[in-house]
Each structure stands twice: as structure tokens, then as C-alpha cells.
Amino acid sequence: GGGAAVARALRSMAYVPFAPPNVGGFPKGEHLLGPSALLHTFDLVAAAGTPPDPRDGAAALASLGVFDASHTTARVLDRERDARRRFALAVASPEYAVA
């Protein structure tokens, strides 16, 4: 089911909520979401099912709790017309990765 696919994607990213890799917790900064984990982010989006249908880039980011995106990120998201891809781009944005 969808829950099992989400769990697999989170394990692939080495980011299972409430189960850090050691007693120090999850890596900080850029080490938390490296290239491999970023690739698996798209697996997570696919496994989660139908994403919200945000009307623009700001709404896509706001649905993820990000309210202060760079002009570049907002422009890229606003140009994407496919809602599913817009949401995937929002999940892969630097602002979401560090939020």
C-alpha cells in the first residue's frame, strides 16, 4: 500500500522520522539531504499519492510550511504548469531541504 511505499522511500533516504541514525540525531545542514537522498525525494512524492494541487509556486511551498522562498525558486515553480511536477519541485527546493 501507500504507507509501505512511503516507509521504503524514507528508509532509502536514511530519514525515518523519530529514528535517527545514532544518538546524535540526524546530520545537520547539507549533509542531511545529499544527492542520493534528493533523488529518493521523488520516490517519496510518488509513494505519497496525489499531491495537493497548488495554484502557484508560493502555494506549493506554503503547503510544505515554507513561506520565504528565493525569487529563483518561486519563478521556477510558477513556470511549471503540471501540479504534480510543481509539488515535486517544491519538495526538492533548497528552501524545503533546510526547513
Side-chain angles (χ1 to χ4, degrees):
V6 169
R8 277 192 305 278
L10 287 170
R11 279 194 303 278
S12 296
M13 294 170 64
Y15 193 74
V16 178
F18 308 111
N22 60 51
V23 296
F26 291 103
K28 304 292 185 235
E30 64 188 37
H31 300 290
L32 175 61
L33 191 62
S36 176
L38 184 59
L39 177 66
H40 291 296
T41 299
F42 293 104
D43 295 337
L44 179 60
V45 170
T50 305
D53 188 6
R55 63 191 172 281
D56 58 24
L61 289 167
S63 72
L64 298 168
V66 176
F67 300 98
D68 55 348
S70 71
H71 180 69
T72 302
T73 296
R75 189 173 61 239
V76 167
L77 294 177
D78 285 342
R79 288 182 179 170
E80 179 55 57
R81 295 293 162 223
D82 181 82
R84 188 173 184 89
R85 288 188 0 204
R86 186 181 315 116
F87 186 73
L89 286 169
V91 170
S93 71
E95 291 84 355
Y96 182 68
V98 299

